[in-house]
Amino acid sequence: MFCALIIIVLLVVGGAFLYHYIVTGGLRARQKPSALEARVAASLVNFSIPTEFKAMKNPLDATPNGGDVAAGRELYQKNCDACHGFDGTGNTHAGNGTYPPPFDLSHAAIARRNRTDGELFYFIRNGVRNTAMPGWQMPNLQIWQLVAYIRNLPLTAPAPREQTVNPATPAPSEAGAHYVGSAACEKCHEDIYTRWKKTPMANVVRNPKEHPDAIIPDLKSGDPLITFTVDDIAFVYGSKWKQRYFKKVGDDYYVLPAQWDVTHKQWKPYFVKKDWWAEFYPPDNFQRPTGALCDGCHSVNYDIKTKIPSEWNVGCEKCHGPGSEHVKQATAASILCPSRMDYVAANDTCIQCHSQGRTLTNPIDGKYYDWPVGYDVSKKLSDYWKLEDHKLGETTFTHFPDGTAHKNRMQGNDFTTSLMYTHGVTCFTCHDVHGTEYPSQLRKPASSLCLDCHGPSSPNGPFAPSLEAHTHHKAGSAGSECIACHMPKIAETLGDVNVRSHTFHFVSPSETDSMKIPNACNVCHTDKTTAWATSALKSWGDQSPWRVAQ
C-alpha cells in the first residue's frame, strides 16, 4: 500500500512537472535548452555513435584547394548553410530558431569535442532523431566530400556573448607575464614557427650585417640618389613593394633619403610631405626618428622611453601578448588568442598596424606618434587609437571621396566600413599570418577562398544560377575572380603600384567620372573608357542598374 502511494505521488509530481514544462514553452523551438538538458542530450548523442565509426578516417583529399573540398563546398552551401551558417557556428536565422540548435561545426567546436572524420560522416549519413538534423540520402563519396569541406570552414571569431576572454579576468599582460620572444614558442609550435619565419611579418626589419642578402638592389650602381653605403645601414625595411634603409644615430634610427622600387627595379627619392605628422617634424629625414613614426609596428613591445623593443619584427607576442606564463604552463588560459576573442578585438590585433590613424594623446613627451602607443592585444584599441578622419566628397592623401582607402596600410580603415566586418568576419578568416604558400598569406587561392562563404547556392549570394552568370566573364579568367571586382587594386603604395581595396564595395564607372575613384572595370580594361564600361554594365540584366550602371 505504501509503495503504491509513493508511485502515485511520483506520477503526480512527474505529471505536474511535465505539464509545467510544456505550458511554459518546453515544446517551443525558440526556447534554449538548460545546461543540464544540453549536457544530457550531448552525452546521449555521443553514446550512440558506434565504435567503428569513431575510428574512420576520410579517404579523400582534404587539402584547402583540393577538388574534393570544392565539391564539398557546393554540397554544404546547398544543404547545410541555411542552418549551420557559412562558418559552421549555427548563427543563422534558421539555426537560431531550431531546437535543439544545430551542431557547432566551427574549427574551435570540432577541436574542443575532438570530433573524428568518422563521427562527422555518421551524423551526416544518419542524422539525429528528434532534431532538425536529417539523415542525408546521398552517396558516401559526397558525404566524405562534405566532411573534407567542414574541416576547411572559414575561421571567424565568436560572438561577444560567447567569447572566452573574460573582461573581469586579468589578461596575461596584466597578471605579471612578460615578453620572452618568438624563439620561446618554437619548441611546442615548431610547424607554425617554421612557417612564420619565412613570412614578411618575421622579416620586416633586418640587420644587413646578420642578413647580407636583405639588401635587394646594388648600392654600387652609381645612381645619384644613393648617398650612403652598406656601412650606413643599420636596418633594411621591407622587400615586397619597396625597400627603405634605416641609419642609427645615437639611440634612434632615421630613414635614408632613397628607396628601392621593387616592382620597377629602380631607385626613387624618399621624403614624406603629405602624411598628417609631416607638419610636426622638420623637412629633414634625420630629424624624423623612426621610433615615433615606424618602430611601434615593426616590433614587439616597443618602449618609447628606452627606444628598445622586446623583439624586432612582428613576432608571436605582437598578436598573443606576453608569453612567459604560457611557457611555464602551456594552457589556453595562459595566453591570448585572437580566435577566442570577439570579432572587434580579434580584428584590432591587425588593425593596430594596418590602419592610418593617430594616438588619442598627441604629442607624447613632445613627440608625435604614428602608431598606437600603449596598446597591446589585452586592451581595447579604441582607447589608444583613432582612425584617420575623412570628410565625404574630399580626395585626400589617405582617402578617396567616398571614404575608400587612397593609400596602402589602410586595410583596417577599409575593412571596418565593410559588411564583412559587421557580419563578424575577421582578418584571419582569409589570412594566416603564420605563413602559407599563397599570396598575402591567404589561407587558400583567392579564386576559391571567397567561395567558401559565397556561391550561387549560398544565402550570402551572389544571387545568380552560376558564377559565370554573376561575373559575366569566362570561368577561370581574371575577370571571373571575386577580388577583381570587389577588391580592385586602387590603394597606392609607391608610384603606380597599388594594393587591394578592403571595403568589398563595387566601385561603378560613374563613381570614377564623378569622384575620380578608380573602378574595377577600367583597372583591368585599361584601353577602354568609363562610358564603355557603363554601357557594358547596363547590358547585364541580372544586376541592378542603380548599383552598377548609374
Side-chain angles (χ1 to χ4, degrees):
M1 181 70 177
F2 181 71
C3 290
L5 181 62
I6 292 177
I7 292 173
I8 292 172
V9 170
L10 290 175
L11 289 173
V12 171
V13 171
F17 175 80
L18 181 61
Y19 174 79
H20 180 267
Y21 177 77
I22 292 173
V23 300
T24 57
L27 297 184
R28 295 176 191 165
R30 292 175 63 88
Q31 181 161 308
K32 299 301 181 185
S34 66
L36 176 61
E37 186 177 350
R39 191 157 47 245
V40 171
S43 298
L44 290 174
V45 168
N46 289 333
F47 184 71
S48 72
I49 307 172
T51 304
E52 61 267 26
F53 279 90
K54 293 183 178 181
M56 291 172 66
K57 295 186 181 298
N58 194 340
L60 305 181
D61 178 16
T63 54
N65 200 37
D68 290 314
V69 170
R73 178 200 301 121
E74 292 186 14
L75 291 166
Y76 184 93
Q77 291 178 345
K78 179 180 179 181
N79 302 310
C80 314
D81 200 321
C83 289
H84 290 280
F86 71 95
D87 59 354
T89 61
N91 188 23
T92 65
H93 289 297
N96 289 328
T98 302
Y99 182 90
F103 275 13
D104 188 343
L105 300 176
S106 64
H107 286 263
I110 288 180
R112 185 167 62 249
R113 294 181 176 85
N114 198 28
R115 292 288 187 204
T116 67
D117 290 342
E119 288 175 334
L120 295 175
F121 179 93
Y122 179 81
F123 288 135
I124 296 170
R125 189 175 77 168
N126 298 294
V128 182
R129 185 186 290 271
N130 297 322
T131 74
M133 178 63 193
W136 287 101
Q137 303 300 308
M138 58 177 66
N140 286 354
L141 172 64
Q142 292 185 337
I143 296 178
W144 282 123
Q145 288 172 334
L146 266 173
V147 172
Y149 179 64
I150 289 170
R151 294 292 189 193
N152 286 276
L153 283 173
L155 292 172
T156 56
R161 66 182 182 276
E162 299 169 348
Q163 63 178 324
T164 56
V165 178
N166 184 352
T169 303
S173 63
E174 300 172 323
H178 58 270
Y179 292 87
V180 293
S182 299
C185 308
E186 181 180 10
K187 181 179 179 181
C188 297
H189 304 281
E190 183 178 2
D191 173 64
I192 291 176
Y193 182 85
T194 301
R195 286 191 286 124
W196 165 79
K197 283 288 287 183
K198 300 175 183 177
T199 66
M201 291 288 191
N203 296 281
V204 174
V205 178
R206 290 197 286 175
N207 184 337
K209 295 178 177 60
E210 298 174 2
H211 304 278
D213 61 328
I215 301 175
I216 298 174
D218 180 8
L219 296 181
K220 299 179 180 179
S221 65
D223 191 290
L225 288 174
I226 307 174
T227 59
F228 51 89
T229 68
V230 67
D231 293 331
D232 293 314
I233 302 173
F235 281 136
V236 174
Y237 161 65
S239 61
K240 187 173 183 179
W241 294 300
K242 55 204 172 196
Q243 188 167 82
R244 294 172 183 157
Y245 310 93
F246 294 4
K247 180 175 182 176
K248 188 171 186 179
V249 180
D251 60 355
D252 219 327
Y253 298 87
Y254 299 85
V255 188
L256 291 161
Q259 60 184 330
W260 178 251
D261 181 337
V262 176
T263 303
H264 298 99
K265 295 181 172 56
Q266 64 183 45
W267 287 99
K268 291 184 177 179
Y270 174 75
F271 177 72
V272 175
K273 297 179 181 178
K274 296 181 180 179
D275 225 327
W276 70 265
W277 51 262
E279 64 180 279
F280 299 107
Y281 288 90
D284 177 357
N285 280 10
F286 281 86
Q287 295 187 59
R288 296 172 165 190
T290 65
L293 304 175
C294 312
D295 297 344
C297 282
H298 302 159
S299 67
V300 178
N301 188 36
Y302 183 87
D303 188 325
I304 64 172
K305 300 292 185 183
T306 64
K307 301 177 184 178
I308 298 174
S310 296
E311 177 182 5
W312 286 109
N313 293 304
V314 185
C316 307
E317 292 164 301
K318 188 74 172 180
C319 303
H320 294 280
S324 62
E325 294 304 307
H326 191 62
V327 171
K328 290 179 185 177
Q329 187 174 16
T331 65
S334 62
I335 196 71
L336 292 170
C337 187
S339 66
R340 299 197 303 270
M341 301 175 186
D342 66 76
Y343 81 99
V344 175
N347 282 314
D348 282 350
T349 304
C350 304
I351 292 173
Q352 63 171 309
C353 290
H354 288 270
S355 65
Q356 285 284 321
R358 311 185 190 196
T359 58
L360 299 190
T361 302
N362 241 336
I364 301 173
D365 294 337
K367 291 182 180 178
Y368 288 84
Y369 285 82
D370 196 28
W371 52 273
V373 177
Y375 169 78
D376 64 54
V377 291
S378 70
K379 299 168 182 162
K380 189 176 180 181
L381 181 59
S382 59
D383 289 339
Y384 299 84
W385 190 241
K386 182 179 183 296
L387 296 182
E388 193 68 18
D389 288 330
H390 174 256
K391 184 178 179 181
L392 288 176
E394 291 187 353
T395 298
T396 65
F397 175 63
T398 54
H399 293 84
F400 286 110
D402 70 336
T404 301
H406 186 275
K407 70 181 295 291
N408 189 21
R409 214 199 85 185
M410 288 188 61
Q411 291 84 2
N413 303 66
D414 267 0
F415 189 48
T416 54
T417 69
S418 72
L419 286 174
M420 297 284 196
Y421 181 82
T422 60
H423 282 79
V425 174
T426 63
C427 304
F428 55 77
T429 301
C430 301
H431 303 272
D432 181 359
V433 295
H434 299 128
T436 75
E437 60 186 291
Y438 307 113
S440 302
Q441 310 306 315
L442 290 176
R443 292 188 173 276
K444 58 180 69 174
S447 57
S448 60
L449 180 64
C450 303
L451 299 179
D452 281 349
C453 304
H454 300 275
S457 300
S458 169
N460 303 319
F463 304 109
S466 67
L467 193 61
E468 285 184 276
H470 173 68
T471 65
H472 295 260
H473 287 75
K474 184 179 178 181
S477 68
S480 74
E481 290 201 359
C482 307
I483 60 173
C485 290
H486 294 280
M487 299 184 70
K489 291 184 176 182
I490 61 175
E492 182 182 346
T493 183
L494 181 63
D496 61 356
V497 180
N498 295 335
V499 297
R500 295 193 181 278
S501 166
H502 277 68
T503 65
F504 306 99
H505 166 67
F506 175 77
V507 180
S508 69
S510 62
E511 289 175 288
T512 302
D513 290 334
S514 62
M515 295 187 286
K516 308 306 178 187
I517 309 169
N519 72 83
C521 302
N522 295 115
V523 164
C524 287
H525 297 279
T526 55
D527 60 329
K528 304 294 186 181
T529 65
T530 53
W532 169 87
T534 299
S535 177
L537 289 169
K538 284 182 177 179
S539 70
W540 294 8
D542 62 313
Q543 300 291 335
S544 166
W546 294 285
R547 291 196 68 242
V548 302
Q550 284 191 8

